[in-house]
Amino acid sequence: MVRMMSPVQRVRGILIQVHPVIDQPNFLRQIANMTKAYKVAVVGATGVVGREMINVLEERTFPVSELVPLASPRTAGEKITFQDKEYTVGVACAEAFEGVDIALFSAGGSVSLELAPLAAEKGAVVIDNSSAWRMDPEVPLVVPEVNPEAIGGYKQKGIIANPNCSTIQMVVALKPLHDLAGLQRVIVSTYQAVSGGGKAAMDELSTQVSKLFNGLEPEPENFPHTIAFNCL
């Protein structure tokens, strides 16, 4: 169900406007009870983020009528299980988006720049997780808990962008503070996880840790220096 807070609340004697808060897992389950189901494509389905997207769709019982897992030719052909059904990963190309309602992209900026417009032309609503469209004035940059009303702007190009991980969690915390007091400047230092570099980066970290514990010298491949027990 959707939890609604009182539109006006008193905080330490000050009346402030409070926007509705959506309990996302319950909200998605409510959507799942609707008769409409969606054909959903996941571009980058064999990567770390793509696999997590598929896991979340299943965990939150999002109404998927058909899953279309897509990836590069290198990993196409792999098998993915979703809702107790096995799917074969296809090659991400224009033809793969026929009949797709929603296309989730997490395959890097160059792939998104090439294929997101093609998916939109086929009628899909594209939600892009890369940096490709974040600065495009015709593409809404959306964090649902902060500016859900901006989603309507997707109709210009058929694409919705989202910020990176550190920005998303930061603005969710900053939005109510801005609404209450007004923020003029925010100074931020972020430390990015190795997982942001994908599976290859995570594997390199694991390998380097193992080598160091066994008295061996690690060899950097995806990073300019050793990443194990380090900050670059």
Side-chain angles (χ1 to χ4, degrees), residues 31 33 43 105 130 154 172:
I31 293 176
N33 292 328
V43 182
F105 274 69
S130 78
Y154 86 91
V172 169

Side-chain angles (χ1 to χ4, degrees), residues 28 31-34 36-40 57 60-65 83:
L28 288 171
I31 293 176
N33 292 328
M34 300 177 183
K36 171 70 174 178
Y38 302 90
K39 185 175 181 179
V40 179
L57 288 172
R60 297 192 172 184
T61 59
F62 190 83
V64 178
S65 61
Q83 294 181 342

Side-chain angles (χ1 to χ4, degrees), residues 35-227:
T35 57
K36 171 70 174 178
Y38 302 90
K39 185 175 181 179
V40 179
V42 177
V43 182
T46 57
V48 175
V49 177
R51 290 181 183 275
E52 187 61 23
M53 286 177 170
I54 293 172
N55 289 338
V56 171
L57 288 172
E58 184 163 13
E59 288 172 2
R60 297 192 172 184
T61 59
F62 190 83
V64 178
S65 61
E66 181 183 350
L67 181 71
V68 184
L70 301 171
S72 68
R74 181 175 58 85
T75 55
E78 292 187 15
K79 304 294 183 181
I80 284 180
T81 301
F82 176 73
Q83 294 181 342
D84 298 323
K85 182 179 178 180
E86 189 175 75
Y87 290 85
T88 301
V89 177
V91 176
C93 60
E95 293 73 21
F97 298 104
E98 291 288 349
V100 169
D101 299 303
I102 301 170
L104 305 176
F105 274 69
S106 187
S110 60
V111 174
S112 292
L113 285 172
E114 177 187 356
L115 293 180
L118 300 179
E121 287 177 6
K122 296 289 185 181
V125 176
V126 175
I127 302 174
D128 183 51
N129 194 48
S130 78
S131 61
W133 302 98
R134 288 172 184 164
M135 302 304 292
D136 190 316
E138 295 182 339
V139 174
L141 185 63
V142 177
V143 177
E145 298 86 350
V146 175
N147 62 334
E149 70 284 349
I151 291 175
Y154 86 91
K155 294 181 180 179
Q156 293 189 69
K157 286 190 174 179
I159 302 171
I160 300 169
N162 63 252
N164 70 1
C165 52
S166 57
T167 301
I168 291 172
Q169 57 189 328
M170 178 177 65
V171 297
V172 169
L174 292 179
K175 178 61 161 62
L177 298 176
H178 178 67
D179 289 344
L180 176 61
L183 300 179
Q184 296 182 345
R185 183 182 183 190
V186 178
I187 300 173
V188 181
S189 296
T190 67
Y191 298 86
Q192 304 296 320
V194 168
S195 58
K199 185 177 184 300
M202 294 172 65
D203 289 344
E204 180 168 330
L205 173 61
S206 178
T207 300
Q208 289 184 0
V209 168
S210 178
K211 284 186 174 182
L212 287 170
F213 276 132
N214 286 279
L216 301 175
E217 186 67 26
E219 299 177 0
E221 293 181 8
N222 295 282
F223 298 96
H225 305 285
T226 299
I227 188 61

